[in-house]
Amino acid sequence: MCIRDSDTTIATPGNLEYVQSICKELDVKLSVIRPRKDFFTLVEKWGFPTVTRRWCCYHLKIEPLKLFFRNTNVDHTLVIDGIRANESPRRKTYPVLGIHKHFKCLNYHPIFNWNSRDVKIYIKKHKLRENPLYNIFPRATECWCTAFKSVKQFRLLKEYFPDLFQKFVEAEMKLKSGGSALFKNGKRIYLRNL
């Protein structure tokens, strides 16, 4: 069974459809796991995620998958994902094969030591259909969590996916604390000003 990492409710538009079409082409069953509450509902409650307050990863990805695995025989489960060491300093410390700390099952990162070029070479060599989002972003981005996004990335989001960008602007305006989606050098960056 192919399980897509949780539908975080703030994936780049088109990403889920791409995954669904690839699974269909490969005749692989796909289960889409969703969180109890969507990203923007949680933003209203807790504010935007930051580097020091990363509630998004747990509530949008880990918690829904934990609930899914609770109903699965974890002793016979292997989680395979596409994370790469060069995506973050923290990920560099992960083992390529190990026990997932949240799911308590075997976890394998087959392309862990690859760079973006390696991914493109593999796709071309095996005549796979590349995710069209790679023509816009360096990653397909299934989670627009604001903790690690840049102004440049949000400018691209505004240009290519203005409806999703506008949801972020509206979420900023709803926050009673005057919170912003982004911070840089301790200063607030309001998306409405981009």
Side-chain angles (χ1 to χ4, degrees):
M1 178 187 304
C2 173
I3 302 169
R4 181 182 186 268
D5 197 354
S6 295
D7 175 1
T8 61
T9 69
I10 54 162
T12 307
N15 197 41
L16 178 57
E17 293 79 3
Y18 168 79
V19 171
Q20 290 170 326
S21 69
I22 292 296
C23 285
K24 186 175 181 179
E25 283 175 25
L26 298 174
D27 196 28
V28 175
K29 183 179 178 192
L30 173 68
S31 294
V32 178
I33 312 302
R34 291 185 171 88
R36 293 178 189 179
K37 294 183 180 179
D38 71 86
F39 175 78
F40 291 108
T41 299
L42 295 174
V43 165
E44 280 188 59
K45 184 176 181 180
W46 297 321
F48 284 99
T50 65
V51 174
T52 57
R53 282 185 325 115
R54 286 190 59 213
W55 56 259
C56 54
C57 186
Y58 184 81
H59 291 286
L60 300 178
K61 295 180 183 181
I62 294 167
E63 185 179 55
L65 284 167
K66 278 174 92 171
L67 291 171
F68 176 82
F69 288 133
R70 207 176 275 160
N71 299 320
T72 306
N73 185 350
V74 175
D75 292 338
H76 297 93
T77 299
L78 170 62
V79 173
I80 301 172
D81 59 38
I83 71 164
R84 293 181 283 131
N86 68 1
E87 292 175 332
S88 77
R90 186 177 190 187
R91 287 187 174 172
K92 283 182 169 99
T93 66
Y94 292 4
V96 174
L97 179 68
I99 301 299
H100 196 286
K101 72 177 186 177
H102 294 288
F103 309 137
K104 310 299 183 217
C105 63
L106 200 55
N107 189 200
Y108 177 50
H109 315 298
I111 64 170
F112 189 73
N113 293 309
W114 293 17
N115 59 35
S116 296
R117 186 173 179 270
D118 296 328
V119 172
K120 287 185 181 276
I121 289 170
Y122 183 88
I123 288 169
K124 188 173 183 175
K125 179 180 176 182
H126 295 281
K127 297 179 172 93
L128 301 172
R129 190 164 41 90
E130 184 177 21
N131 189 325
L133 293 173
Y134 289 140
N135 295 322
I136 302 169
F137 303 105
R139 295 169 61 191
T141 307
E142 46 53 62
C143 186
W144 275 90
C145 161
T146 54
F148 296 105
K149 293 290 182 273
S150 66
V151 169
K152 181 181 178 181
Q153 288 169 310
F154 269 99
R155 283 192 173 124
L156 286 171
L157 184 68
K158 180 180 180 181
E159 180 180 347
Y160 289 95
F161 303 102
D163 292 344
L164 180 56
F165 179 83
Q166 188 58 35
K167 286 182 181 181
F168 281 94
V169 171
E170 290 167 7
E172 278 183 338
M173 294 168 74
K174 287 180 184 177
L175 292 178
K176 295 173 186 164
S177 65
S180 63
L182 298 175
F183 288 87
K184 186 173 182 177
N185 301 326
K187 294 182 181 178
R188 294 179 186 272
I189 300 172
Y190 291 95
L191 296 179
R192 63 182 172 262
N193 296 332
L194 297 185

